[in-house]
Amino acid sequence: MKTIYKLTVILFISLFFAGCYGKYDALPNNPGSFNDTRATHTIAQFIAEFASEKGDFFPVRTNSGAANLYSVDSIPMYGDDIIIEGIVVSSDTAGNVYKSLFIQDLEQPEIGLKISVDAASISGVYQLGQKISIRCNGLAIGKYAEMWQLGTVYFNNTEELQKKGYEPGRIPYPMFKSRVETHGLPKKDAIVIHDMTIDEILNYPDRSIDARLVRIKNVYFTGTDQGKEIADAQKIFAIDTKGVGYPSSRDIKSRDGSSTGYISVATSEYSKFAKKRIPGSEQTGDIIALVGWYHDKDDDRYTGNFQLTIRSLDDLIGFKIQ
Amino acid sequence: MKKILWMLFVSLFTLQLSAQTTAQGIVKDFGTGEPVSGVKVSLLQQNISTQTNASGEFFFSYIDAGSDEISFSRGGYFTQIKLVNLKEGETNEVGIITLRPDAQSESKQDFILQLSEAQLDDDGNLQGISGSFLSQSDVYISQTSYNFSPMRFRTRGYDNKYESTYINGVRFADAERGGFNYSSLGGLNNATRNKDLSYGLNPNTFSYGNLGSNTNINTRASIIATGHNASGSFSTGNYMLRGQYTYGTGLLPNGWAFAVSGVVRWAKEGIVEGTFYNSAGLFLSAEKIINENHSLSLVAFGAPTRRAQQGATTQEVYWLAQSIYYNPYWGYQDGKKRNSRIVESFDPTAVLSHDWKINDKQRLRTGVAFHYSKYSNSALTFYNAPDPRPDYYRNLPSAQLWSQYNTNGNQTGEVNWDAYNELIQDWTDKNSKTTQIDWDELYKANYANNVDNPEETAKYMLERRHNDLMELALNSTYTNQIGKIWKLTAGIEGRTSKGMHYKTIDDLLGGKQWIDIDQFAERDLTGNTELELTSRDVIQNDLLNPNRAVTTGGIFGYNYDIYVNSANAFALSEWNFHNLDVYFGAKATYTQFYRHGHMQNGRAPENSYGKGKTYFFVDPSFKGGLTYKIDGRNRISANIIAETRAPLTKDSYVSERIKADIVGGYDADSIYHTITSEKILSYDLSYTFNFPIVRGRISAFRTHVHDAAEKNGYYDDEYRTFVNYSLIGVNRIYQGIEAGVSVKLNSSFTLSAAGTLADYHYTDDAFAISNYENGTKLDATDTVRISGLKVNNGPQMAGSVTLSYSHPKMWFADLTLNCYGNNYLDFSPNRFADKNIAKYKEAETRIGQPAEEGQIGIVQQALASQEKLKGGFMLNASIGKVLYLKDRKQLNFNLSVSNLLNNTNMISGGYQQARVPLKKDVTSKEKQIIDTENLNKFPSKYYYAWGFNLFFNVGYRF
């Protein structure tokens, strides 16, 4: 009986041991400081130094034509570190931004940059207001439909001949992870939102407005798609494109006449609010959006257009959405 | 026929007239001199067996006179064969037989058990183990059970459910999955070593019998060897250290017997990277021999275990990692390896059994068992965050090659080799942030989220999937040796079980809470899907508690119970004539089951909550067989069984986590198909020979299974959902030959060889129902073209040769060469569905390589063919020594080595991924067509058999 008693004691000790094994304490929350910096270039300096008009990879996408709507410049893999930093101003949680991050320069918040990464839901890790720095060595900067983006050298080997050729591609996630650092916890207050009118955007003299986070006050949805009236049933943020995959454009105009032109809010059919009806033209409100530009074809009839991307319905202020 | 009957009558008559010939004796332990109970004593030439009782005594009645060989075998002892000359009409005294403990085979058995545990599947079932260990009398079984485990060999290709395991006469079988889970014994090998086994359709003494092996594990206290037995082991496999201790009192003068056993198994890291092992088991047994007629036994055991799992991965990843032990499930956390898949299991079990010897001829054995199985495993889950798996296909170097080559492998585009090489370099450098789970990033994401969205769901967490089972089983078996010739066995069985399935939060990884909605439904139901988002209801996992915030330990996701009740009764009648044994039997089984949901799921509000419909099945079974004894040394036997079997609940629901709907649907001709009992017809023919120098067996078998149900599940990365893929109307055939022979070369050397050449395949196409758990697609039916595909249940060709040596001074050594072949990878039925085959054909036409009529084209070949795995050889060896010390103490050493030549090219299993590479059709845009440039985008995932590994054991009996 003594043996049994002893054995039972030993077993209970080992059970306790077994129960605790493989349990882990939470990692400490050491996010570092928002003020840490390792940047070598501002975004503007970076583009000026490394992006060329035509790029160094050919052929680029066929549609690019003489206008160089697409370009790819590789950034040296070796040599000095080339590091940019910024604060994340995009979020893909609502599904309207996909496999990309938009950052805002800390010194020049009017300058932004789109970063293309091959990871769905990347905002889950690089959240709104997060300060990040990216070592760009070995990546590529280039124009995608005439808008700058940071990515990798990518050859789009598609049967659609007009799209075949080099373009800035998505950075493989492990490559992105090995280059990115976060600094501090997300700080939404640090994001600068630029108040602009529609006409100011439309008439902006160069492409440095792209990827800027703007607020346009006192606007209404016109119920048109780049000027063309939308059938009532289709007055939702994005229609089903049956797999083609283009965003739907929903024009807005200034209510108070401060601008005369219209600009389009472009929404992906994959966003969570795609099926919601756009606010009626009787409603007025403010809109916060990322400025985008899409100029895909070198064609006189088509000179490209601005596309405003709202990150979620929270970017529509003062509108009632059903 | 008349003649035979007449002869039978005459022989019966004459035998009844003469006095009975009987034999008796007693078996003792060579070392301790204590009686050994539970020894199988067989008269080899007459094919009659009995067992020794608690006092080591055995007794044969109604035997034939003449010279015979009498064999004594028991797990843990060397089998002994003795020549006897039985005198007519007398009680023949065989005397005292001493058996030598076989520590060598015990160690080898433990080693094999450990190897097999590497094959625990996600649900914790030991796939590679059959109960058929240590049947010394059958060469084929003893050879195959030892040697083929590392390759997931299954005897006759049968699933677990076609084999039965009993503990002290009570059947242990998971009511939902149909088989016995060997790991529930928790490594208590010493206490559970004593087994009575019958193979194939042959009748046995404790049950009606299953198709494959039938094992009764005898753990009564009186059968546990008297004295102390302690051992310590070192292993390079799953666990590193093992300590085991068993003490048996033997039968005490007051009629009581007690036994206790404990085992501890531990590894900080096993042979596979990032796997730890931690297990402690306790076994208690008490038995009271009340009087000559009654004995009562109570056994209780359980072994809490925590261990980490291994994941299958693609060939590319194994190549990148340069190791067959690569495991995608772990990553460094704070400098320590942390595995995301941790299994916790605990199977407290109690068996109360009563043995009533009504008289010399009649016996009633009754047992009741209570079993509570707690089983859970953890897994990473994520919400609006990147896929954290290190072997996620888009993150691998091969992704850089996508679309840059055509179907025939010619480069048509430009590869970014810098990126490709950089991604490879990460693996070469073993950059664990890329090659393993990056726990830092997961915590960081949650901490950031706490600031940004304090009320929202965490980005990453570890969930724990629970599959608990509570069951109560009763078996009662009555045997009556009515005369010399006629023996009747009858029994009843009743069992009731409740399976509890739910998920809890294991670790929020720094996050604050988890909101209980289906995130993927949230995303996809808003898009261009078949189900429109009407309200936020559809994404709720529990409409009764919408948007519930769950914290650590809380239940979420799904929560339901499966109740299964079944009962059966059987009778088996055996006649043993002089040259002929005949038996037949019948069984009837009633089964019912239902689902009870504790959550009202938003994707199935009408049929998820509360008690679902009860389904019931009545299944008959008939079996029969005969053994013709040509002479004492040569026997031919044949068996046949025909029966139906209720489907298992695991195969019966379209999506048991979500709703109570049973698998069923209309085919193209509007004919309704649903689950039914499967129909089985099985028969075998064996020739057994038993000479002093050579003994062995050769058998041929065939089993037809019709209308079976199967269920496959996989995670669809595109739709971000778990997909249930059910098959019904599945027809399979299992057929083959198997042979084993053992030759005693001289007093020291024995040569044994065993092999099987078999064919297990699907004979017809089957009907499929697919279900997307997040509701992005409606349940759909299809036909899967699986006719001719092989059943994935281990190698269908295997052979082994063992040369064993035993020295009179108790030295032992053996060397075994195994070979395997005809092993087929588990195929994904989805890839064989008509819906997909049409796409393959379209693709072949599109690329200008259409298949000729009746031929399989290039695309279909690449996407919908079953992979035949490479065969190969493996060399195993072991050496051992037993030392007898003073005072009958005994010390033994054993060193066993598996895969001596370190063959690391042996794929032991894995699966074909279900997902098919698709792309947008450039012309119609709408259609998803086969991406012919990237046919290998979703390659198969594999497990490798371990390379060189060893097991060293020191045992001490005192």
Side-chain angles (χ1 to χ4, degrees):
Chain A
M1 267 343 249
K2 231 180 187 176
T3 330
I4 293 176
Y5 171 74
K6 270 190 222 158
L7 197 80
T8 314
V9 170
I10 293 168
L11 270 156
F12 270 103
I13 293 168
S14 24
L15 289 192
F16 177 76
F17 178 58
C20 295
Y21 202 83
K23 305 253 185 198
Y24 296 83
D25 293 331
L27 280 177
N29 188 3
N30 291 328
S33 165
F34 191 85
N35 298 324
D36 289 345
T37 181
R38 56 168 197 156
T40 58
H41 292 69
T42 65
I43 293 171
Q45 285 167 346
F46 170 71
I47 291 175
E49 187 174 338
F50 294 101
S52 66
E53 188 55 28
K54 295 188 172 181
D56 55 5
F57 282 87
F58 304 100
V60 289
R61 278 167 66 144
T62 330
N63 263 355
S64 187
N68 300 307
L69 303 178
Y70 289 84
S71 72
V72 181
D73 274 292
S74 58
I75 301 158
M77 176 81 87
Y78 304 103
D80 294 340
D81 282 350
I82 303 148
I83 300 171
I84 57 169
E85 66 183 22
I87 182 164
V88 176
V89 292
S90 61
S91 168
D92 57 24
T93 310
N96 199 26
V97 174
Y98 183 62
K99 292 195 172 179
S100 56
L101 288 173
F102 287 73
I103 59 168
Q104 181 177 79
D105 197 284
L106 285 150
E107 288 177 31
Q108 296 170 287
E110 68 277 16
I111 305 291
L113 183 63
K114 180 180 178 179
I115 305 164
S116 224
V117 185
D118 193 12
S121 301
I122 190 171
S123 308
V125 178
Y126 305 95
Q127 293 167 21
L128 205 60
Q130 177 71 55
K131 181 181 165 185
I132 60 172
S133 60
I134 303 139
R135 191 172 159 272
C136 301
N137 301 59
L139 301 179
I141 176 84
K143 281 179 285 186
Y144 190 100
E146 222 180 14
M147 179 171 163
W148 291 118
Q149 74 180 47
L150 181 67
T152 47
V153 179
Y154 176 68
F155 187 81
N156 190 10
N157 190 26
T158 167
E159 295 156 58
E160 294 175 85
L161 289 178
Q162 73 279 11
K163 289 186 179 171
K164 189 167 180 157
Y166 279 103
E167 63 181 37
R170 291 175 182 142
I171 306 168
Y173 193 46
M175 280 177 72
F176 181 73
K177 275 177 63 180
S178 68
R179 287 169 169 77
V180 70
E181 264 183 36
T182 56
H183 305 283
L185 288 167
K187 208 166 151 185
K188 277 191 210 168
D189 318 344
I191 296 173
V192 179
I193 303 171
H194 301 268
D195 283 314
M196 292 185 81
T197 65
I198 293 171
D199 285 357
E200 278 170 349
I201 298 170
L202 292 176
N203 299 322
Y204 205 81
D206 58 42
R207 293 261 59 82
S208 68
I209 190 177
D210 294 348
R212 184 182 294 181
L213 185 65
V214 298
R215 174 169 39 222
I216 312 169
K217 289 183 171 162
N218 267 318
V219 293
Y220 68 98
F221 282 83
T222 58
T224 57
D225 172 352
Q226 301 195 41
K228 282 185 278 276
E229 186 64 27
I230 306 166
D232 186 64
Q234 301 216 324
K235 282 185 179 165
I236 53 176
F237 279 91
I239 56 159
D240 182 355
T241 67
K242 304 272 182 217
V244 187
Y246 57 85
S248 294
S249 294
R250 301 293 178 251
D251 304 337
I252 55 166
K253 270 189 151 178
S254 162
R255 178 70 81 193
D256 57 15
S258 60
S259 290
T260 52
Y262 67 79
I263 193 166
S264 300
V265 173
T267 302
S268 158
E269 64 190 300
Y270 300 110
S271 72
K272 286 178 186 165
F273 55 89
K275 292 279 182 284
K276 301 263 189 201
R277 286 187 69 79
I278 54 171
S281 57
E282 74 287 353
Q283 291 193 50
T284 306
D286 300 347
I287 179 167
I288 297 172
L290 290 159
V291 176
W293 175 254
Y294 193 77
H295 186 193
D296 180 51
K297 281 193 203 89
D298 183 23
D299 182 332
D300 290 343
R301 289 165 298 172
Y302 178 70
T303 53
N305 55 283
F306 279 103
Q307 295 184 329
L308 297 180
T309 300
I310 58 169
R311 298 160 301 174
S312 72
L313 289 179
D314 294 342
D315 281 342
L316 300 180
I317 298 146
F319 292 101
K320 258 188 233 150
I321 314 282
Q322 286 129 13
Chain B
M1 198 63 202
K2 253 185 186 169
K3 214 172 178 181
I4 295 173
L5 281 175
W6 174 242
M7 277 168 64
L8 286 176
F9 177 72
V10 169
S11 58
L12 216 158
F13 191 66
T14 45
L15 282 165
Q16 286 295 340
L17 283 180
S18 62
Q20 248 200 62
T21 307
T22 61
Q24 64 184 34
I26 182 162
V27 182
K28 292 190 170 177
D29 185 287
F30 175 85
T32 61
E34 296 284 342
V36 185
S37 62
V39 177
K40 187 174 182 183
V41 186
S42 310
L43 282 166
L44 292 178
Q45 300 195 19
Q46 299 184 42
N47 200 22
I48 299 173
S49 299
T50 184
Q51 281 204 348
T52 57
N53 63 15
S55 312
E57 298 155 351
F58 65 92
F59 182 79
F60 283 108
S61 53
Y62 298 121
I63 53 176
D64 290 344
S67 71
D68 204 332
E69 284 149 314
I70 183 163
S71 118
F72 303 88
S73 63
R74 206 201 114 148
Y77 289 91
F78 286 104
T79 299
Q80 201 177 115
I81 298 172
K82 206 179 151 92
L83 280 168
V84 284
N85 194 6
L86 302 168
K87 292 195 183 94
E88 181 85 39
E90 285 182 21
T91 296
N92 293 274
E93 195 60 56
V94 182
I96 295 171
I97 290 93
T98 51
L99 287 186
R100 283 172 182 258
D102 183 4
Q104 175 79 354
S105 66
E106 284 189 6
S107 294
K108 279 167 64 186
Q109 187 185 1
D110 289 0
F111 180 45
I112 290 301
L113 273 166
Q114 189 216 218
L115 284 178
S116 308
E117 267 204 293
Q119 303 159 12
L120 286 167
D121 68 10
D122 269 3
D123 302 307
N125 287 298
L126 269 180
Q127 291 299 307
I129 281 201
S130 66
S132 48
F133 277 105
L134 217 81
S135 166
Q136 302 284 16
S137 51
D138 189 290
V139 183
Y140 179 78
I141 301 165
S142 59
Q143 276 292 105
T144 54
S145 63
Y146 271 140
N147 296 320
F148 295 158
S149 289
M151 285 301 289
R152 296 165 191 255
F153 177 79
R154 305 272 323 168
T155 46
R156 297 191 177 177
Y158 294 148
D159 284 334
N160 258 348
K161 68 170 177 178
Y162 297 128
E163 296 181 337
S164 296
T165 302
Y166 293 72
I167 298 176
N168 295 349
V170 184
R171 191 161 75 94
F172 276 69
D174 182 325
E176 293 180 31
R177 319 192 134 264
F180 175 66
N181 181 7
Y182 212 92
S183 62
S184 67
L185 296 178
L188 288 157
N189 299 354
N190 256 351
T192 57
R193 209 177 292 282
N194 204 290
K195 298 183 179 92
D196 187 5
L197 175 112
S198 79
Y199 184 66
L201 301 172
N202 293 324
N204 63 60
T205 56
F206 50 87
S207 71
Y208 179 75
N210 207 332
L211 299 186
S213 64
N214 301 281
T215 309
N216 183 27
I217 301 173
N218 195 336
T219 64
R220 285 180 296 119
S222 64
I223 217 160
I224 307 274
T226 311
H228 304 265
N229 181 355
S231 70
S233 317
F234 169 82
S235 140
T236 59
N238 264 344
Y239 53 80
M240 194 175 92
L241 297 173
R242 185 192 70 173
Q244 191 167 218
Y245 170 81
T246 304
Y247 174 66
T249 61
L251 188 61
L252 300 170
N254 60 6
W256 281 94
F258 298 96
V260 57
S261 185
V263 61
V264 178
R265 293 176 291 168
W266 176 83
K268 187 173 181 223
E269 187 171 24
I271 192 167
V272 176
E273 292 173 13
T275 59
F276 67 84
Y277 202 102
N278 220 302
S279 174
L282 179 62
F283 166 93
L284 298 165
S285 179
E287 186 176 1
K288 169 76 178 169
I289 314 268
I290 300 164
N291 54 37
E292 279 211 349
N293 298 332
H294 291 276
S295 74
L296 207 56
S297 151
L298 179 67
V299 175
F301 60 88
T305 301
R306 269 174 76 81
R307 57 181 176 81
Q309 285 183 306
Q310 175 192 14
T313 192
T314 61
Q315 196 56 52
E316 180 187 10
V317 175
Y318 283 118
W319 174 76
L320 286 168
Q322 290 288 302
S323 168
I324 60 164
Y325 304 113
Y326 171 78
N327 183 4
Y329 286 163
W330 68 272
Y332 283 106
Q333 174 169 328
D334 209 8
K336 288 197 283 277
K337 286 180 176 178
R338 178 177 190 177
N339 194 306
S340 60
R341 302 273 183 140
I342 294 174
V343 170
E344 293 181 356
S345 64
F346 183 33
D347 282 75
T349 304
V351 186
L352 178 69
S353 45
H354 175 234
D355 193 345
W356 179 20
K357 284 193 190 81
I358 302 166
N359 54 38
D360 270 358
K361 292 166 183 168
Q362 297 180 68
R363 193 170 171 192
L364 182 67
R365 284 168 294 178
T366 306
V368 186
F370 175 78
H371 174 213
Y372 196 104
S373 166
K374 279 190 82 63
Y375 181 87
S376 65
N377 62 339
S378 61
L380 267 178
T381 188
F382 48 105
Y383 179 84
N384 283 343
D387 196 315
R389 289 174 294 177
D391 58 346
Y392 183 57
Y393 73 113
R394 302 195 76 90
N395 295 346
L396 298 176
S398 58
Q400 296 305 308
L401 310 178
W402 290 348
S403 304
Q404 310 299 349
Y405 293 83
N406 67 13
T407 319
N408 300 322
N410 301 317
Q411 192 172 344
T412 56
E414 303 292 337
V415 177
N416 182 346
W417 291 110
D418 288 341
Y420 179 81
N421 290 328
E422 185 182 327
L423 291 167
I424 287 185
Q425 195 64 39
D426 267 349
W427 287 85
T428 314
D429 297 346
K430 298 205 182 299
N431 173 5
S432 65
K433 280 185 156 326
T434 296
T435 64
Q436 302 295 342
I437 291 170
D438 187 359
W439 293 102
D440 286 351
E441 183 177 90
L442 312 187
Y443 274 94
K444 221 158 72 177
N446 279 341
Y447 288 137
N449 188 55
N450 292 347
V451 176
D452 234 14
N453 308 295
E455 306 296 320
E456 282 290 329
T457 263
K459 291 296 172 190
Y460 295 97
M461 67 118 163
L462 275 176
E463 64 178 29
R464 184 157 281 285
R465 302 159 182 168
H466 299 259
N467 293 294
D468 297 348
L469 182 73
M470 182 166 69
E471 55 181 348
L472 194 64
L474 175 136
N475 277 77
S476 190
T477 310
Y478 167 79
T479 49
N480 189 350
Q481 183 75 46
I482 295 168
K484 172 180 162 49
I485 291 170
W486 188 19
K487 184 179 167 193
L488 182 74
T489 307
I492 53 162
E493 176 178 308
R495 47 202 309 114
T496 176
S497 76
K498 176 188 180 185
M500 293 149 277
H501 307 269
Y502 55 98
K503 285 203 287 190
T504 58
I505 293 176
D506 201 43
D507 190 340
L508 278 166
L509 304 176
K512 283 192 187 308
Q513 66 266 314
W514 189 262
I515 310 296
D516 191 17
I517 55 171
D518 190 306
Q519 48 169 324
F520 305 123
E522 179 187 46
R523 189 186 84 152
D524 287 309
L525 291 177
T526 58
N528 46 352
T529 53
E530 294 167 38
L531 285 181
E532 291 293 329
L533 178 67
T534 49
S535 68
R536 205 172 149 79
D537 285 355
V538 74
I539 64 173
Q540 296 298 332
N541 286 330
D542 187 5
L543 286 168
L544 303 172
N545 291 291
N547 301 317
R548 189 167 52 99
V550 193
T551 53
T552 308
I555 293 177
F556 77 103
Y558 55 82
N559 185 5
Y560 66 94
D561 302 329
I562 298 280
Y563 289 86
V564 186
N565 296 318
S566 70
N568 70 60
F570 75 90
L572 205 60
S573 190
E574 295 172 65
W575 291 270
N576 296 296
F577 302 113
H578 184 67
N579 281 330
L580 190 70
D581 297 345
V582 186
Y583 75 92
F584 71 79
K587 182 171 87 162
T589 307
Y590 172 82
T591 311
Q592 66 166 51
F593 60 78
Y594 65 90
R595 176 190 185 275
H596 187 104
H598 299 295
M599 286 184 177
Q600 188 182 18
N601 190 291
R603 267 92 61 217
E606 304 297 324
N607 48 359
S608 52
Y609 183 71
K611 185 174 179 292
K613 196 180 158 195
T614 303
Y615 296 88
F616 62 89
F617 301 85
V618 177
D619 297 289
S621 175
F622 302 95
K623 72 186 283 191
L626 48 86
T627 299
Y628 176 63
K629 295 173 267 193
I630 302 166
D631 55 36
R633 303 207 175 275
N634 298 281
R635 288 201 297 274
I636 291 175
S637 63
N639 302 285
I640 186 165
I641 187 167
E643 65 177 21
T644 71
R645 269 186 203 214
L648 296 170
T649 59
K650 76 171 174 79
D651 299 324
S652 299
Y653 290 99
V654 174
S655 175
E656 65 176 61
R657 282 182 281 264
I658 305 288
K659 56 191 180 184
D661 291 5
I662 213 85
V663 172
Y666 291 93
D667 66 12
D669 302 323
S670 300
I671 298 166
Y672 188 75
H673 300 262
T674 188
I675 48 156
T676 57
S677 287
E678 63 182 43
K679 289 100 192 158
I680 295 167
L681 177 67
S682 177
Y683 38 94
D684 64 13
L685 180 69
S686 300
Y687 165 62
T688 311
F689 51 96
N690 203 331
F691 296 96
I693 291 180
V694 186
R695 63 193 173 93
R697 170 172 66 85
I698 179 161
S699 299
F701 64 92
R702 177 179 271 175
T703 300
H704 306 265
V705 176
H706 273 241
D707 283 334
E710 286 184 13
K711 174 88 145 262
N712 288 264
Y714 63 93
Y715 178 76
D716 189 310
D717 185 70
E718 187 185 1
Y719 290 95
R720 290 204 171 193
T721 182
F722 195 83
V723 179
N724 295 296
Y725 207 85
S726 305
L727 303 185
I728 48 177
V730 177
N731 298 344
R732 293 182 292 248
I733 191 167
Y734 304 79
Q735 57 190 358
I737 51 166
E738 58 193 23
V741 62
S742 167
V743 186
K744 218 166 158 49
L745 300 176
N746 57 34
S747 60
S748 303
F749 286 96
T750 305
L751 189 69
S752 309
T756 180
L757 183 62
D759 166 41
Y760 324 130
H761 73 262
Y762 294 85
T763 55
D764 296 282
D765 297 334
F767 188 69
I769 293 104
S770 60
N771 161 272
Y772 285 64
E773 283 196 356
N774 68 2
T776 44
K777 287 187 163 208
L778 296 172
D779 295 353
T781 60
D782 209 335
T783 300
V784 288
R785 303 295 170 185
I786 57 170
S787 177
L789 295 186
K790 303 287 186 176
V791 176
N792 155 251
N793 241 346
Q796 306 194 1
M797 194 271 281
S800 99
V801 184
T802 299
L803 181 67
S804 42
Y805 170 77
S806 94
H807 189 272
K809 293 235 166 109
M810 304 306 274
W811 277 98
F812 309 96
D814 57 60
L815 191 66
T816 301
L817 183 69
N818 299 314
C819 73
Y820 309 97
N822 298 358
N823 196 5
Y824 298 86
L825 194 69
D826 198 5
F827 63 87
S828 166
N830 172 53
R831 289 201 173 197
F832 295 82
D834 274 352
K835 176 192 79 177
N836 278 325
I837 290 172
K839 286 186 173 163
Y840 309 147
K841 298 230 178 288
E842 182 277 328
E844 284 154 4
T845 310
R846 171 159 45 90
I847 61 169
Q849 300 185 40
E852 302 206 3
E853 191 62 32
Q855 299 286 307
I856 289 182
I858 179 170
V859 174
Q860 187 168 354
Q861 181 64 35
L863 295 175
S865 54
Q866 186 176 27
E867 184 179 351
K868 184 176 177 179
L869 300 171
K870 216 170 71 173
F873 291 88
M874 226 182 250
L875 194 64
N876 302 340
S878 81
I879 182 162
K881 163 82 178 154
V882 179
L883 282 167
Y884 293 105
L885 310 173
K886 272 191 295 188
D887 304 327
R888 297 186 155 169
K889 287 174 184 163
Q890 182 193 319
L891 192 62
N892 64 274
F893 302 90
N894 170 275
L895 176 69
S896 295
V897 176
S898 169
N899 203 348
L900 200 60
L901 302 177
N902 196 29
N903 179 355
T904 53
N905 299 316
M906 302 275 282
I907 291 172
S908 61
Y911 55 92
Q912 179 177 45
Q913 292 203 62
R915 196 172 166 190
V916 169
L918 296 172
K919 66 176 181 183
K920 233 184 295 181
D921 182 357
V922 172
T923 41
S924 85
K925 303 278 187 185
E926 226 174 295
K927 258 191 352 207
Q928 289 269 299
I929 56 171
I930 298 292
D931 183 357
T932 46
E933 283 77 44
N934 297 302
L935 292 178
N936 201 28
K937 205 170 195 171
F938 306 107
S940 298
K941 295 195 170 186
Y942 305 103
Y943 290 105
Y944 276 87
W946 295 347
F948 176 88
N949 66 100
L950 61 83
F951 186 86
F952 179 67
N953 183 66
V954 182
Y956 183 50
R957 284 172 205 245
F958 56 105

